[in-house]
Amino acid sequence: MRVDIPSLSHTAKLGQAMAAVWAARPDLPLLLLLHGQMGAGKTTLTRFMVESLPGGDLAEVSSPSFTLCNSYPTRPPVLHFDLYRLEEGQYDDTLPEALYEAEYAPTIILVEWPERMDKSFLPDSYVYCRLTESENNRRAFFEGYGEAAAAFLSLLKAEAEKSGLSVAG
């Protein structure tokens, strides 16, 4: 699925759409891998999504580049990882532990720079989002892995279209 996000307000609408799906269906895949170059909008999208969840008004969203992980007091709770400082495949025991615990308690886990994580920790169902930017536009490309991820993307597509976003696929 592709979503055009040519402006900050469009990025906000996408984050709000994601939050609406997860607030309504916390049983859907709660791992979102955010891939994109520096400045592509990973943390900005995360901020809009977190602030749109119940309890998000209490969250101070920032890039966890130096701490590796920030947690936000939302419903469901959010763990925001930024693996930029890790070498590719370098082990960080915080992420696999969080993925394991998220199977039992609804927790949204967002991972920036997922190419630097050990892929053996990926659950059966997750969503991969690649953010791109060109001279005139930014886009988010979503891929779902597993049945629950497909259900999440179907709901996200409907929510994004309802918000007036341009969606394809």
Side-chain angles (χ1 to χ4, degrees):
M1 178 175 83
R2 184 193 82 219
V3 181
D4 291 329
I5 47 175
S7 70
L8 196 58
S9 66
H10 288 85
T11 304
K13 287 179 183 181
L14 178 57
Q16 292 161 358
M18 294 166 65
V21 172
W22 270 318
R25 292 287 310 272
D27 59 309
L28 291 176
L30 302 174
L31 173 61
L32 175 66
L33 304 178
L34 291 166
H35 177 85
Q37 297 298 318
M38 188 81 68
K42 299 178 295 294
T43 302
T44 300
L45 179 60
T46 297
R47 179 171 45 90
F48 285 125
M49 193 275 299
V50 168
E51 290 174 349
S52 299
L53 284 168
D57 55 327
L58 302 175
E60 290 186 38
V61 180
S62 63
S63 177
S65 296
F66 295 101
T67 59
L68 290 182
C69 180
N70 289 340
S71 63
Y72 306 118
T74 55
R75 289 179 305 282
V78 173
L79 292 176
H80 177 199
F81 287 86
D82 184 332
L83 306 182
Y84 180 74
R85 292 183 335 134
L86 296 181
E87 297 293 324
E88 189 169 335
Q90 183 179 352
Y91 185 77
D92 170 59
D93 61 354
T94 313
L95 181 57
E97 184 178 313
L99 291 170
Y100 177 77
E101 289 177 8
E103 288 185 44
Y104 302 101
T107 301
I108 298 168
I109 299 175
L110 306 169
V111 180
E112 294 186 36
W113 301 95
E115 63 273 21
R116 298 183 182 195
M117 71 183 278
D118 183 338
K119 305 303 185 271
S120 67
F121 297 119
L122 289 175
D124 292 337
S125 191
Y126 63 94
V127 174
Y128 180 86
C129 175
R130 181 172 48 94
L131 296 169
T132 65
E133 56 184 327
S134 66
E135 207 172 285
N136 303 323
N137 199 5
R138 288 182 185 221
R139 290 189 168 134
F141 294 89
F142 291 90
E143 294 177 59
Y145 295 88
E147 288 181 32
F152 173 83
L153 290 179
S154 176
L155 292 169
L156 179 59
K157 181 178 182 180
E159 197 67 39
E161 289 173 338
K162 189 168 70 174
S163 299
L165 293 169
S166 174
V167 180

